[in-house]
Amino acid sequence: MSFLRIRNAGGESTAANFTPHIVLAALGIAAIIVAVLIWSDREVDRIALERDRAIGSLVLEQSVERIAHAQEAATVWDAAVLALRQRPLDFRWIDRNIGTWFYGYAGFDEVYILSPSDEPLYAMREGKRAVPESYIAVEDVAAPMVARLRRTREVSRLAAGEGTMLSPGQEDFTVLRGRPAIISVKPVMPDTDAVVEEEGHEAVHISIVYLDDDFFARIGSQYGLANVRYQIAPSLNPRESSIPLRTHGGRTIGYLVWEPFAPGSQVTEIVGPTLVLVLLLSTAAIYVLASRLAKRNSDLEESRLLAHHQATHDGLTGLGNRAMFEGRFDEALSHARRHGTMLALLYIDLDRFKQVNDTLGHPAGDALIRQVARRLVAEVRRYDVVARLGGDEFAILIREPEDRAVIDRICLRIVGQLEQPFNVSGSQAYIGASIGVAITPDDGLDRTELTRRADIALYQAKAEGRSRYVLFSSGMDEAVRTRETTERELRQALADCDAQLRLYYQPVFSARTGEMTGVEALLRWQHPENGLITPEAFIPAAEETGLIEMLGAWVLRRAALDAGAWPDLRVAVNVSPIQVRNRKFADTVRAILAETGLAPERLEIEITETALMAASSEVAASLKDLRALGIACALDDFGTGYSSLSHIRDIAVDRIKIDRSFVQAVHTASGAALVEAIVGLASAKGVHLTAEGVEDSAQYAFLSQVGCDEVQGYLLARPMPADQVTQMLAEKQYILPPQHDGNHPAAAI
Ligand code: C2E
Ligand code: CA
Ligand code: CA
């Protein structure tokens, strides 16, 4: 059933979506931090690598320079120049000073010495003197360098002494015997002016150092290069660095490869896990905070929904309330209008709910209402709307019924269902319901009009005797309009009572003496347009609108005032049950008596049998109070209501007024017998008896004969204005006792 749909799905998702957003944002920030870290580490690594590569180049350069520099320890030396001029050569001296000595001193692997005419004079390999001719193995590489040295001798001399070098030289990377090597060529030249040597014609000293493991181990430790080595091709390992070894001729003879120092990567390795942990923890913290926040938000949302639910639903039954119903009604109406479909509005009013509440108590009343709600919901379809408008009022929307017959069936079922007894507080309660129905488009197109018409139909259903349903018809509208007009005009009349309201009096006579004993006050409305209106035409309207209380008070006061002119007459005033039900009624009467000075014994209150039989405790209490004041109470229209004759015994009244219909039936045997029985019962109980509506003398004769106390009717006197009563009394127009010969006494007016 639609009224059970409580939650607003949109509202809930706002709260639920909140946490993921915040967590995503936190993760995003974490990702950015990690990315910046990685980037900065890469950048650090890149800078470190550049530096490393510069170091690598420097290492190579310095390795070459170191060899050349070491070489100069022996080649720039007067003794060496002289030793190499000497013939035969002193090989032992050469070994010790410029040959094998270098093997141990500077790690030179090979040394060759050429004469000024480029003849090999000396050779050393791996610390041992070799035959000079072994020069041939390196000649291909060495000879061009020697030639170049001799050619550039002049230029180089200028440079010599300006740097760290003492002498010119030629150095290069090369491949010798299939191995990478550094080769350095230096002239053997004097270091003082004591020895003179022609430039360009010196002996030449050639040193060769192979780039072997020893070499790399040395430069590795010297420059802090990890795993440094020679490779024929650059390293494919991304974590390794390679720089080419290039000869002066531009030939790449291999690569220097090492593992560069990558501080960034190390930072990443060291800091990374900690950072990730920190980020995870802070994301978790943010998640917790965010979900708390989201929870609070969703709590708020929930309480908002709850408030909304409470604002739109009836707490007792869980059905929609009036506010909700009106919203759904508007929706359904616009749907019906768009699609040209029917929509039925059912107004349901429980018939005897008040009694259940009064006799079984409020918890029982609540339980009953809940059961009614359940039965109503069970009788309609899922998409119909059931709501509790308040108290014992319900409303149903039947959406898109195929035809009026469907609506009839549903109403009939509901009436039938609510006629079934309800089990409350261990006892069975019978209530029943009245239903008013209005259908769009026939009975109107907007909510206000349909509501009004369903209400009219409901009123009609109640007026027709309850536990039934009534479909609105245009005739009812007419009746309601008349009632509404009456009400409006009655208000005006009341605002100006003495101008429009009149009180007539119908004399009442003793059936034995024919003497006028009292009058009954009868209300008339002198309508400005419609003339004199009898009470039956407006009293019901006054009762419905509550105007009856003001009206009744006016009648009482008027009657009491007029009665001042007739000190010997009893004044009877008709009162509506609505007046009597008011607990303050006796007080009102007492106040009016005090105000007007009418003795309570002269006043008689007439109340209809129907009103008295349906007497609530309030009516009984009011009557008791009135009688305690000394005011008499008469049971009006006796015989028209529910009470059987035997009930007379139980009724606490001073007078019974036999209804006109009985009087009219006295010419029949059964009618006569009935009146005789009533007279018997009344006298047995000591209750006075008045016969109303006496229209002919036969009736009058019969009534006086059987012992009826008083008579009232057109035969004797019609209702008349107060001054006519005064006149009647003054002219002593007493009615003669009935004569049994059929001669009718003259009737007044
Ligand atoms: P009721 O109390 O039964 O009043 C008697 C009605 O019968 C009066 O009608 C009266 O004119 C009419 N009547 C009297 N004699 C005869 C007769 O011989 N033949 C016929 N056919 N009718 C006769 P009325 O004045 O139209 O009053 C109608 C009803 O209105 C009254 O019935 C009473 O119940 C009510 N009523 C009148 N005045 C008041 C009032 O001030 N307050 C209240 N609450 N109801 C009033
Ligand atoms: Ca009456
Ligand atoms: Ca009457």
Side-chain angles (χ1 to χ4, degrees), residues 99-152:
T100 51
W101 172 77
F102 269 115
Y103 181 73
Y105 166 66
F108 292 179
D109 292 301
E110 295 178 23
V111 168
Y112 298 93
I113 299 170
L114 301 184
S115 71
S117 55
D118 291 346
E119 271 166 78
L121 297 178
Y122 176 87
M124 184 281 281
R125 268 190 78 193
E126 321 245 321
K128 289 190 186 76
R129 192 181 334 139
V131 291
E133 289 72 27
S134 59
Y135 170 64
I136 201 152
V138 301
E139 191 176 9
D140 276 0
V141 177
M145 293 173 75
V146 171
R148 215 161 32 246
L149 175 73
R150 294 198 192 285
R151 263 204 318 279
T152 58

Side-chain angles (χ1 to χ4, degrees), residues 204-460:
V204 171
H205 188 273
I206 300 162
S207 306
I208 292 165
V209 174
Y210 288 101
L211 306 183
D212 52 13
D213 291 349
D214 285 355
F215 173 82
F216 287 117
R218 205 168 54 242
I219 64 167
S221 67
Q222 203 170 341
Y223 296 97
L225 300 181
N227 197 16
V228 65
R229 64 193 186 277
Y230 169 83
Q231 262 184 213
I232 197 77
S235 171
L236 294 174
N237 185 341
R239 304 181 63 146
E240 286 183 331
S241 227
S242 310
I243 57 168
L245 298 176
R246 279 211 188 86
T247 66
H248 283 306
R251 196 161 67 92
T252 299
I253 58 151
Y255 293 84
L256 183 70
V257 177
W258 76 102
E259 279 174 13
F261 172 55
S265 305
Q266 285 181 9
V267 167
T268 310
E269 275 162 25
I270 295 164
V271 175
T274 316
L275 185 75
V276 166
L277 194 69
V278 165
L279 287 176
L280 282 177
L281 285 177
S282 39
T283 304
I286 288 170
Y287 174 80
V288 169
L289 287 176
S291 32
R292 287 242 179 99
L293 203 60
K295 168 93 169 58
R296 192 178 306 162
N297 263 22
S298 86
D299 284 354
L300 272 176
E301 182 64 14
E302 221 158 79
S303 64
R304 196 186 67 75
L305 284 172
L306 187 67
H308 177 76
H309 182 79
Q310 283 167 348
T312 53
H313 287 75
D314 165 45
L316 185 59
T317 60
L319 295 177
N321 64 10
R322 187 182 292 274
M324 200 257 213
F325 184 74
E326 286 175 356
R328 303 294 297 275
F329 196 177
D330 285 337
E331 280 168 30
L333 263 176
S334 65
H335 177 91
R337 239 173 283 155
R338 269 201 311 279
H339 297 84
T341 50
M342 281 207 285
L343 174 70
L345 167 64
L346 275 59
Y347 259 24
I348 303 168
D349 199 284
L350 303 185
D351 290 336
R352 278 174 294 275
F353 177 68
K354 198 182 172 316
Q355 278 99 307
V356 173
N357 241 353
D358 287 351
T359 53
L360 297 178
H362 285 281
D366 287 353
L368 181 78
I369 289 291
R370 270 196 290 267
Q371 288 181 36
V372 168
R374 267 201 294 275
R375 288 191 195 179
L376 291 179
V377 166
E379 288 308 323
V380 298
R381 298 159 301 177
R382 271 185 60 77
Y383 44 89
D384 295 332
V385 181
V386 182
R388 181 176 175 222
L389 303 184
D392 59 348
E393 275 177 73
F394 294 84
I396 294 179
L397 287 177
I398 308 287
R399 305 181 72 164
E400 300 183 43
E402 294 91 81
D403 48 29
R404 282 176 171 261
V406 170
I407 302 167
D408 277 317
R409 276 202 298 279
I410 292 176
C411 290
L412 212 55
R413 279 208 311 268
I414 292 175
V415 169
Q417 276 300 318
L418 299 186
E419 268 174 354
Q420 300 301 310
F422 290 84
N423 248 319
V424 283
S425 306
S427 49
Q428 291 208 320
Y430 291 84
I431 49 166
S434 305
I435 306 179
V437 186
I439 302 164
T440 191
D442 296 4
D443 300 336
L445 293 171
D446 65 88
R447 176 155 62 81
T448 321
E449 190 56 15
L450 283 166
T451 305
R452 195 181 71 83
R453 295 187 163 188
D455 216 27
I456 291 169
L458 174 63
Y459 176 88
Q460 186 69 24

